[in-house]
Amino acid sequence: MKLAARVSRIAPSPTLAMAATAKAMAAQGLDIVDFSTGEPDFDTPEPVKAAAEAAIRAGFTKYTPSSGIDELRGAIVEKLSAELGVRYEKSQVLVSCGAKHSLYNLAEALLEAGDEIIIPTPYWVSYSDQALLNDATPILMPTREDEGYAVRPADLERLITPKTKAILVNSPCNPTGATYDRGTLEQIAAVAIRHDLIVISDEIYEKVLYDGASHVSIASLGAEIAARTVIINGVSKAYAMTGWRIGYAAGPKELITAMANIQSQSTSNPCSIAQKAAVAALRLGEPFTLKMVEEFSRRRKTIVEGLNNIPGVTCSMPRGAFYAFPNIRGLLGKRGPSGMLKTPNEMANYLLNDAHIAVVPGEPFGSHDHLRLSYATSMTNITRGLERLGQAFAKLV
């Protein structure tokens, strides 16, 4: 069978693949410590579940408008106004089946052959593949670990060509946990305005912040940059609702309308019941989020300190999200039971097969020196996993 050429440009999501492998091994009776999954291990808040149950009992089980119900879009408009100071109309908001779906709708509506999109690295694995699926070229912009993975505006400027269509901003960042301060965002905004570029601002981890850090959206920096920014967000991370699949985009009306037209011809509306649950999350979920983030902060300190105590490993303290991104350059080139481990991918396979620890290698995120570990798991798993990691790395020669 001759498949479309676009299929050969991408690979399956490596994070989902590793999580599936870990679950399959656990189902076979193996004791796997799983650091691969990028989802909170907390249960969805009770008020959210109650809203879903009420929707079911009320028979709210039919099609909804493909762009999302007015009540949810209204709650999103209220949230963005109250928290970011940015005002949108409901017509500027599109509700989709998760933030990943929102990003894909955006890629389809915005990008085509000949376009370039600048993506700072390390980056979430799907950004570049979604560009490739829509015939565009992802331009990867390296950032430095010793600079907190900050974007240098001068580096950004050098990568811009007549083909550049958009810049992607992800703060807090998956996989590094880095955040962008107001000054950096102001400089990025100035570049985008000067070159007439769209800014895609992925803010899905906006509420998962530590050490007094506060979230700044680039869209909040003035009307001119807001008019060319698309905010991507959802309820999955902040409210432990990954399986409910509700994300949203807010931005220029013409672009959001195009995205909505695409969605109407692909998935139609997101789940009706999940939309009602998302309304409750946005209006009632803040106390839950604060408690969850407090626990994540405890785990963050434990896992980062533990990783830094392992010879050959260094790990910076993330300011947001729930991932540790340890640098294992000091261990690459050592030999394991099956031979030399020269790459993070080979190291991740060694850890999974020999130590029964599931981590995600750095290559799909744009790094050849790191592994990604999610600490959205119990403290028991973190301490067990750190012990196994230390033992596994100590065996390398």
Side-chain angles (χ1 to χ4, degrees):
M1 182 180 296
K2 187 176 181 180
L3 301 176
R6 68 178 65 90
V7 176
S8 64
R9 300 176 198 148
I10 65 167
S13 167
T15 53
L16 297 180
M18 179 60 77
T21 300
K23 288 177 181 177
M25 293 175 71
Q28 295 170 9
L30 297 174
D31 179 20
I32 305 296
V33 178
D34 188 0
F35 290 124
S36 68
T37 305
E39 64 178 349
D41 59 320
F42 293 78
D43 194 13
T44 300
E46 288 301 322
V48 175
K49 293 193 285 186
E53 291 170 358
I56 293 171
R57 293 192 184 99
F60 194 71
T61 56
K62 308 299 183 182
Y63 291 131
T64 76
S66 62
S67 297
I69 59 176
D70 272 0
E71 185 183 10
L72 178 52
R73 290 196 290 167
I76 293 165
V77 167
E78 292 168 11
K79 173 211 180 311
L80 295 174
S81 176
E83 297 181 5
L84 305 183
V86 185
R87 297 189 177 278
Y88 294 95
E89 302 294 331
K90 291 179 185 177
S91 59
Q92 293 178 271
V93 174
L94 171 65
V95 181
S96 301
C97 305
K100 181 184 282 189
H101 186 207
S102 299
L103 284 163
Y104 189 79
N105 284 333
L106 176 55
E108 282 222 325
L110 184 66
L111 302 176
E112 58 190 352
D115 289 339
E116 296 176 349
I117 176 172
I118 297 175
I119 304 172
T121 68
Y123 60 93
W124 180 55
V125 296
S126 292
Y127 294 146
S128 60
D129 280 2
Q130 288 189 353
L132 291 169
L133 278 171
N134 287 282
D135 302 318
T137 302
I139 304 298
L140 305 182
M141 183 179 71
T143 61
R144 292 171 58 94
E145 184 176 2
D146 60 4
E147 295 178 351
Y149 300 105
V151 170
R152 292 180 176 182
D155 292 344
L156 177 61
E157 192 100 38
R158 278 193 290 270
L159 290 176
I160 294 173
T161 74
K163 297 179 180 180
T164 308
K165 193 79 166 282
I167 304 167
L168 197 144
V169 175
N170 177 211
S171 177
C173 176
N174 174 8
T176 66
T179 60
Y180 293 176
D181 61 25
R182 178 178 293 271
T184 298
L185 291 171
E186 287 174 343
Q187 292 177 308
I188 295 172
V191 172
I193 292 168
R194 188 160 55 249
H195 293 277
D196 192 25
L197 303 177
I198 294 293
V199 176
I200 302 167
S201 184
D202 184 349
E203 303 180 13
I204 192 68
Y205 293 97
E206 60 162 349
K207 293 187 179 294
V208 187
L209 290 163
Y210 313 107
D211 301 333
S214 57
H215 175 67
V216 179
S217 172
I218 196 169
S220 70
L221 301 181
E224 196 171 5
I225 188 62
R228 62 180 65 252
T229 298
V230 182
I231 293 174
I232 303 292
N233 209 327
V235 298
S236 61
K237 312 299 184 180
Y239 307 106
M241 294 176 66
T242 51
W244 297 76
R245 306 315 299 139
I246 295 293
Y248 60 85
K253 184 175 180 179
E254 182 180 8
L255 184 50
I256 295 297
T257 299
M259 293 166 61
N261 289 341
I262 290 167
Q263 181 164 299
S264 74
Q265 296 290 3
S266 56
T267 61
S268 298
N269 63 275
C271 170
S272 60
I273 297 157
Q275 289 185 70
K276 286 287 190 179
V279 172
L282 292 174
R283 292 183 172 159
L284 304 172
E286 195 69 16
F288 164 85
T289 304
L290 292 173
K291 289 181 180 179
M292 181 176 68
V293 173
E294 183 179 359
E295 175 59 22
F296 281 158
S297 185
R298 290 179 58 244
R299 299 175 185 180
R300 172 187 65 127
K301 293 174 182 176
T302 298
I303 196 169
V304 171
E305 289 171 3
L307 288 166
N308 281 318
N309 286 332
I310 299 174
V313 178
T314 61
C315 186
S316 57
M317 187 68 74
R319 298 192 69 201
F322 38 70
Y323 306 104
F325 201 55
N327 188 314
I328 59 164
R329 189 185 304 125
L331 297 171
L332 297 178
K334 292 195 173 186
R335 188 171 296 277
S338 302
M340 187 176 293
L341 304 174
K342 296 178 287 187
T343 67
N345 186 62
E346 291 173 354
M347 186 68 73
N349 286 330
Y350 161 66
L351 292 174
L352 182 61
N353 294 319
D354 289 69
H356 294 167
I357 308 167
V359 303
V360 185
E363 289 97 335
F365 301 103
S367 171
H368 296 279
D369 295 323
H370 295 80
L371 301 173
R372 193 197 76 170
L373 284 70
S374 169
Y375 50 86
T377 187
S378 70
M379 193 69 83
T380 299
N381 278 343
I382 290 171
T383 54
R384 289 172 63 232
L386 287 169
E387 183 178 1
R388 288 192 194 181
L389 280 170
Q391 293 170 350
F393 289 149
K395 292 177 183 179
L396 303 178
V397 294

